[in-house]
Amino acid sequence: MLHTFVALVEDKTGLLSRVTSLFRRLNVNITSLTVGGTETAGVSRTTIVAEAAEDRAPRIMASLYKLEGVLEVDNVGRHSAVVRELALLKIAASQKTRSDLFQLAEVFRARIVDLAPESLMMEITGSASKIEGLVQILLEGNYRILEMARSGRMAMRRGHHTSRVLEALGDIPQRTEPTTLTGDPKHETLDLMAEEDQV
Amino acid sequence: MDNNGKTNLNPSEAAIYSQPTRLTGAETVWATMVGEGVRDVFGYPGGAILPVYDALRKFPIRHILVRHEQGAAHMADGYARASGRVGVAIATSGPGATNLVTGIATAMLDSIPMVCVTGQVSSKVLGTDAFQEIDITGITLPITKHNYLVNRTEDIAPALREAFRIAKSGRPGPVLVDITKDAQQNSAIFDFAAAAPAPYRPHPMLSADSVAIREALELLRTAKRPVILAGQGILHSRAMEQVRTLAERAQIPVACTLLGLTAFPASHPLNLGMMGMHGESWVNHAIQQADLLIACGMRFDDRVTGSLSTYAQNAKKIHIEIDPAEINKNVRVDVALVGDLKEILETMLPRMPKRDGAAWLRTISTMKGSAAVHDIQQLPDNGHLYAAHVINDIWRETGGEAIIVTDVGQHQMWEAQYYKHEQPRSLVTSGGLGTMGFALPAAIGAKVACPDKEVWVVAGDGGFQMTSAELSTIVQEQLKINIAIVNNGYLGMVRQWQEAFYEKNYECTPLISPDFVKLADAHGIRGAHVNRRAEVIPTVREARQHGKVFLIDFHVEQEDSVYPMIPPGAALHEMIRRPKPSPLVETATEI
């Protein structure tokens, strides 16, 4: 199964290779990996999606914690979480086919971010399945995808979850376990509807 | 920071620890080590570490010059295993650093606290494939607990201090600190106190809450056939007394892993001996028949479990272990107590119910047979010299009190079977990685760490030749070490596998060796050949009485094998027993 781990790590040279080396050592394939900043200076957030048997997750987490500089590990797959991926698609499009693509973009809540005589670029954010849905429709419609870039998944637990580590580092509000509300299926739907970008 | 590389360090002054002082990076390396309590280091100089060597004479540190950097790493490892203190190895960049790798991996697999310091080319040329430049932090990433590339003088003390903390805290392990030459040459303010590492943060997944402890106690209370599995974690946690109390109070027999052999006295009536691939039959049968296993600081290695699907199927399992990544790795356990073994046992012991274990102990004792028949000393001398006799006689002569440092192979298993260790840390052996060539350098480390202890090397003719250059180190350092070579003219353990599983196709296992006594002589070391059983004890006595290093070349039976033996993939109780008639009798029924 696919596991989604979020690891907060010190922003130091070489730490990422320690993390990836660990997965290689455990013979676990990383299907996606994103790294970026957090609300705390000097702390990076990595989201690692990896394919492994279900019962291997605790050992992967324990091994991650053994790396110096890994501050906190969360297996978000086990909790209600918002999981997003960003994709950029460059699609061959002439003046004639453009308007159909504009409509398609609207249906998928994607945005056209670049327009050239022979192509356009679409930006889409959402779950992996949504992105794959768009790709499939494009292919079925005989559109040529010239280039595609996917960011890999990012994930954040729903509700008022806060890292214990970051709590200890600064005065971030007390950690609370996610309430039942956050697990509400209605919430999920709501979120899917409201994922239009603000920019 | 200035770049002239000169400071006015007065080595006799402890003032450098009480007030910040300007030191070169090289001086900082030694000053930090002295501050961390280091007295002995093992190393080999070279271009990129020369500044550090230049500053050595100012500090109260004994440096042992090795003949190969692999030896330095094994010596630091043996030093740590024998004493419990952190071992230190030093090497230059490039080949010096890569030569450490086998030794670092050996320490990693066996959780040995060790700090390796390597020189690196100057930071200006890092990444240019400069002369003797190699990415040693990249190479050692998966075989160290942590490693550092330090390229600023002011970072040396904090990195080194943290390295020592990491090496010895939690589950111990090796740490490597790679320091660029310019960082060694430049100077910076040395402030030992300010360089202190952040306090040790226990692994966040440790858990030994009251519910789990209650469950463990309940399992212990109701168990009819419990067995304690004693691992090296007992030594690391210094929980020998607690494990002993647990065993005695609840009358639970104790089976040891190879690295746990010295965690429980061999002569203790509850000690069954070594478990696993070459464990005695009654030990493995006891584990297979047990209804409760209490695993203390061990990791259910494949060499102790045999086939996992048939391992101790009727037993509940309690796993007391400091590394959460070891829980349910190989064997699924019923209760996991994740934390420091000593602390957990101390919490449990006051609530530990008294048990009557007599019936179970009687059952095991029946399996074991009469003690007299295990006494291979009583067997008639049939003219052959068996390795087991050699080990057994060394045991008798040393009273089980010596530190025995073994290599890897048949002799290692015979040592584990026939030398009865009474003292913690008195067996130094490479378990996890199984590194041939380990014994001689590791023995040097053990002797430097414990100069008042008697130290014996027990090595095969194959492994001994891998690192025999360190004989010169022994002579140069004037160390009293006794060396026993168990010489059968084969790579014995591989030959045994060829005999058992490859139809006696002895491909590449017969082995020509030099005359080891002449080799010793070339080093100015006294030695003797032993071919007959009757010569063993007199020669062992001669070696012990000789004031200097002494080498004995024991020419033993060539095609002797280690039994019992669990074939790969077989269940723990499906042992190949000792063939009959055997000079090394196993049980009363087999006489």
Side-chain angles (χ1 to χ4, degrees):
Chain A
M1 68 172 283
L2 278 183
H3 299 273
T4 306
F5 301 102
V6 169
L8 298 177
V9 304
E10 287 171 14
D11 183 12
K12 282 187 180 165
T13 312
L15 231 159
L16 184 61
S17 71
R18 286 176 202 282
V19 170
T20 52
S21 172
L22 169 70
F23 281 82
R24 178 184 53 77
R25 209 158 73 225
L26 297 176
N27 194 22
V28 173
N29 184 37
I30 295 176
T31 50
S32 114
L33 171 70
T34 65
V35 188
T38 64
E39 67 278 21
T40 309
V43 177
S44 296
R45 184 177 176 114
T46 63
T47 309
I48 307 152
V49 182
E51 174 74 47
E54 187 167 6
D55 59 358
R56 292 192 71 184
R59 180 149 188 261
I60 293 171
M61 284 179 74
S63 303
L64 276 168
Y65 267 126
K66 281 165 70 176
L67 300 175
E68 282 300 313
V70 170
L71 303 171
E72 182 156 354
V73 186
D74 193 10
N75 184 358
V76 293
R78 292 168 51 219
H79 303 274
S80 170
V82 176
V83 182
R84 290 291 177 272
E85 192 174 339
L86 174 88
L88 295 174
L89 292 129
K90 192 179 284 174
I91 306 153
S94 62
Q95 224 165 358
K96 266 203 314 211
T97 53
R98 239 179 240 160
S99 58
D100 291 347
L101 282 168
F102 283 12
Q103 277 181 12
L104 207 57
E106 201 170 318
V107 172
F108 277 88
R109 293 186 174 77
R111 296 195 310 158
I112 310 297
V113 289
D114 182 55
L115 203 58
E118 308 292 321
S119 70
L120 58 76
M121 197 191 300
M122 249 187 230
E123 173 195 307
I124 179 168
T125 310
S127 63
S129 60
K130 179 177 157 185
I131 293 169
E132 278 144 25
L134 172 62
V135 170
Q136 198 182 343
I137 295 288
L138 286 169
L139 293 176
E140 282 171 8
N142 283 326
Y143 291 101
R144 265 183 72 209
I145 299 175
L146 302 170
E147 256 183 83
M148 176 162 73
R150 291 174 67 163
S151 65
R153 265 184 240 186
M154 291 173 70
M156 191 177 282
R157 277 218 235 174
R158 290 177 186 281
H160 197 166
H161 168 85
T162 302
S163 154
R164 273 170 297 167
V165 175
L166 298 186
E167 241 168 57
L169 290 173
D171 45 6
I172 293 162
Q174 282 297 298
R175 171 200 190 86
T176 50
E177 285 307 313
T179 59
T180 46
L181 184 74
T182 55
D184 192 334
K186 262 186 279 173
H187 226 79
E188 297 277 353
T189 335
L190 222 156
D191 169 74
L192 282 175
M193 300 303 288
E195 69 186 16
E196 190 63 284
D197 295 293
Q198 301 299 306
V199 187
Chain B
M1 188 193 290
D2 60 51
N3 289 322
N4 65 9
K6 290 197 169 52
T7 60
N8 300 318
L9 177 69
N10 181 344
S12 59
E13 281 179 19
I16 55 171
Y17 298 102
S18 51
Q19 62 189 53
T21 314
R22 179 163 287 275
L23 296 185
T24 66
E27 290 163 346
T28 302
V29 168
W30 297 118
T32 308
M33 285 201 202
V34 171
E36 288 288 339
V38 174
R39 299 196 293 268
D40 313 285
V41 302
F42 306 89
Y44 203 98
I49 194 76
L50 261 175
V52 164
Y53 273 84
D54 188 49
L56 172 58
R57 65 188 160 77
K58 301 177 193 166
F59 294 87
I61 282 191
R62 177 181 185 185
H63 178 277
I64 287 93
L65 175 67
V66 304
R67 294 301 177 271
H68 186 288
E69 289 88 350
Q70 183 186 347
H74 289 327
M75 287 177 208
D77 179 322
Y79 184 95
R81 290 185 205 239
S83 67
R85 303 196 297 270
V86 179
V88 178
I90 298 182
T92 190
S93 64
T98 55
N99 279 347
L100 291 173
V101 166
T102 302
I104 296 172
T106 305
M108 185 67 178
L109 268 282
D110 286 348
S111 309
I112 303 304
M114 184 163 111
V115 170
C116 297
V117 174
T118 48
Q120 181 56 281
V121 299
S122 278
S123 58
K124 292 181 289 294
V125 295
L126 264 182
T128 66
D129 299 331
F131 178 63
Q132 294 195 331
E133 180 188 0
I134 201 73
D135 175 16
I136 194 63
T137 47
I139 290 174
T140 57
L141 190 144
I143 54 163
T144 50
K145 218 179 146 185
H146 192 56
N147 63 24
Y148 301 84
L149 169 57
V150 180
N151 51 26
R152 299 192 317 165
T153 308
E154 56 267 40
D155 294 340
I156 292 176
L160 260 180
R161 291 205 66 183
E162 193 171 73
F164 277 90
R165 192 212 69 199
I166 292 170
K168 61 191 172 191
S169 57
R171 180 177 180 175
V175 181
L176 181 135
V177 184
D178 194 27
I179 307 174
T180 60
K181 193 170 183 179
D182 53 333
Q184 300 167 36
Q185 287 164 328
N186 295 336
S187 62
I189 296 298
F190 172 71
D191 186 340
F192 187 74
Y200 164 59
R201 182 191 74 156
H203 193 294
M205 287 164 77
L206 298 189
S207 73
D209 58 18
S210 53
V211 179
I213 287 187
R214 207 177 315 131
E215 283 172 10
L217 286 166
E218 184 58 23
L219 287 176
L220 277 161
R221 197 180 60 76
T222 52
K224 297 269 187 294
R225 300 182 305 280
V227 176
I228 291 172
L229 307 180
Q232 188 190 214
I234 298 169
L235 298 173
H236 284 323
S237 175
R238 294 180 165 80
M240 286 78 77
E241 270 314 302
Q242 287 71 18
V243 171
R244 191 175 169 153
T245 308
L246 171 71
E248 286 173 355
R249 190 171 304 169
Q251 284 297 295
I252 305 175
V254 178
C256 300
T257 67
L258 176 65
L259 297 189
L261 272 177
T262 68
F264 200 77
S267 60
H268 195 286
L270 288 168
N271 194 337
L272 300 178
M274 183 174 70
M275 64 176 106
M277 184 170 266
H278 295 293
E280 295 294 349
S281 62
W282 63 86
V283 190
N284 290 337
H285 279 302
I287 291 169
Q288 290 299 71
Q289 292 173 24
D291 65 355
L292 177 65
L293 298 178
I294 308 108
C296 297
M298 55 84 74
R299 59 186 177 90
F300 292 105
D301 181 82
D302 55 75
R303 283 295 187 272
V304 311
T305 59
S307 127
L308 285 172
S309 58
T310 53
Y311 181 71
Q313 283 169 309
N314 301 316
K316 298 273 186 191
K317 285 128 193 149
I318 301 171
H319 197 177
I320 314 177
E321 164 62 46
I322 197 156
D323 182 356
E326 291 296 345
I327 305 297
N328 294 330
K329 183 178 83 175
N330 298 336
V331 171
R332 190 149 283 280
V333 296
D334 298 276
V335 180
L337 299 171
V338 194
D340 180 65
L341 177 66
K342 186 175 182 172
E343 285 172 21
I344 290 169
L345 287 180
E346 276 178 348
T347 315
M348 288 172 71
L349 283 172
R351 292 149 65 193
M352 184 64 216
K354 274 212 158 52
R355 284 180 66 256
D356 176 17
W360 172 228
L361 292 175
R362 251 196 322 275
T363 309
I364 297 175
S365 165
T366 312
M367 290 193 273
K368 193 171 175 179
S370 152
V373 300
H374 307 300
D375 191 346
I376 60 176
Q377 186 70 13
Q378 304 302 324
L379 295 161
D381 185 349
N382 61 2
H384 295 274
L385 182 60
Y386 290 95
H389 290 146
V390 172
I391 307 285
N392 206 251
D393 285 347
I394 294 174
W395 165 61
R396 274 164 208 281
E397 288 301 305
T398 57
E401 299 286 322
I403 295 178
I404 309 290
V405 186
T406 81
D407 220 75
V408 170
Q410 287 185 315
H411 69 277
Q412 180 189 30
M413 294 297 107
W414 280 315
E415 198 285 345
Q417 291 177 340
Y418 294 104
Y419 195 100
K420 310 294 178 193
H421 290 271
E422 302 300 329
Q423 299 300 330
R425 300 186 173 279
S426 64
L427 170 59
V428 173
T429 192
S430 165
L433 196 67
T435 310
M436 284 173 69
F438 176 77
L440 191 65
I444 294 172
K447 186 65 184 181
V448 171
C450 308
D452 300 331
K453 295 253 177 76
E454 179 176 353
V455 174
W456 278 82
V457 171
V458 175
D461 42 331
F464 185 78
Q465 289 184 72
M466 284 193 174
T467 51
S468 58
E470 303 299 345
L471 284 172
S472 297
T473 309
I474 297 180
V475 175
Q476 185 161 355
E477 295 298 325
Q478 299 176 11
L479 300 168
K480 167 56 183 164
I481 293 174
N482 300 312
I483 301 165
I485 300 177
V486 178
N487 187 345
N488 57 9
Y490 278 104
L491 300 174
M493 188 59 95
V494 184
R495 185 211 58 76
Q496 177 173 343
W497 278 56
Q498 288 171 331
E499 178 185 339
F501 313 117
Y502 295 88
E503 295 160 342
K504 288 201 178 187
N505 178 19
Y506 293 165
E507 195 64 67
C508 302
T509 42
L511 165 87
I512 298 286
S513 296
D515 181 328
F516 289 117
V517 175
K518 281 189 180 160
L519 181 71
D521 189 49
H523 289 82
I525 294 170
R526 176 132 27 122
H529 291 286
V530 171
N531 296 291
R532 293 186 305 118
R533 174 104 192 263
E535 296 163 358
V536 176
I537 286 185
T539 318
V540 167
R541 284 185 185 155
E542 188 191 348
R544 297 184 74 212
Q545 281 155 11
H546 186 60
K548 297 178 188 170
V549 52
F550 196 100
L551 182 149
I552 313 174
D553 186 4
F554 291 101
H555 299 267
V556 299
E557 276 297 294
Q558 290 209 297
E559 295 189 32
D560 193 9
S561 290
V562 182
Y563 296 108
M565 178 193 196
I566 301 163
L572 195 57
H573 57 275
E574 291 167 355
M575 285 158 277
I576 304 173
R577 303 291 289 266
R578 291 188 177 90
K580 294 173 262 186
S582 163
L584 311 170
V585 180
E586 198 167 357
T587 66
T589 54
E590 289 177 9
I591 290 183

